[in-house]
Amino acid sequence: MTPTHFTISSAFLLGMMGLAFHRTHLLSALLCLEAMMLALFIALSLWSLQLDATGCSTAPMLMLAFSACEASAGLALLVATARTHGTDHMQALNLLQC
Amino acid sequence: MAYIMLTLLIGMVLGVISVASNPSPYFAALGLVLVAGVGCVVLMGHGGSFLSLVLFLIYLGGMLVVFAYCVALAAEPYPEAWGEWSVLGSVLGYLLLVVGAGSWFWGGWYEGMWVPVDELIEFSVVAADSGGVALMYSLGGGLLVVSAWVLLLTLLVVLELTRGLARGALRAV
């Protein structure tokens, strides 16, 4: 595994672990999701650059567009949570708590 | 040049650790800006200057600015930075994990592996990544129309989610 490949893989996995082990805020989970999307963008760009396959350059552009859509949907949910529950703390989302 | 790339890659991993250790969102957004900036320079080091510019403009200038404004929703009187023990424990744990995983691989890393060799097969007017992105408008036109439709749909989804009053997710506000 080349150092670059190792870096982007570990960036993606660290973001995923941060998303899984988030503590208080919903927003920090969304930020970890954004870090995963960033690692994916850099991975797709480096793929097309290192293989000299210029046709693959459209993949990171489209991925960025869809990741923007996903970020805006997540932030709209965050705003809705903050306006109904008062905070974005995960403890406030206790509808399924037994 | 190899040392520059080494520094950048280490900076990227440290930045993602600073986001994944879940400090207060103020500092996590700062860490994400660092990761995006360093990632842009990594892309430039491999020759993808157009994609790096796109990342800077759209990701940092568009998405992260919106995230920074939404960080105001996560305001708390004593925000936790990376000096707090609960966050520092996560940082040290992730560092240990990355160094441990890296120790598996770094036996086989040699000098020439850090920076790719530029292959000047021919001289061209259009850079590689710019020319590739231009394909999105010619051969990939169908997918361009589909993604424009998806963006419009997302706009309507967001407006519906934050509608308030009777319908939508905000009921009594």
Side-chain angles (χ1 to χ4, degrees), chain B residues 98-165:
Chain B
V98 169
V99 168
S103 66
W104 259 46
F105 295 109
W106 66 41
W109 289 350
Y110 55 92
E111 289 280 327
M113 214 182 223
W114 291 92
V115 184
V117 176
D118 290 326
E119 292 156 3
L120 281 176
I121 305 173
E122 61 210 17
F123 294 108
S124 59
V125 176
V126 181
D129 50 349
S130 313
V133 168
L135 273 182
M136 199 168 66
Y137 295 96
S138 62
L139 288 177
L143 202 51
L144 191 66
V145 169
V146 167
S147 26
W149 193 256
V150 165
L151 285 170
L152 182 65
L153 178 69
T154 310
L155 173 67
L156 296 174
V157 161
V158 167
L159 286 176
E160 189 65 34
L161 271 176
T162 53
R163 186 202 268 245
L165 234 58

Side-chain angles (χ1 to χ4, degrees), chain A residues 1 22-23 25 34 52, chain B residues 22 59 63 76 80 109 119:
Chain A
M1 210 186 231
H22 57 271
R23 300 177 304 123
H25 292 278
E34 283 311 301
D52 290 337
Chain B
N22 290 324
Y59 194 85
M63 289 159 60
E76 47 191 14
E80 296 174 346
W109 289 350
E119 292 156 3

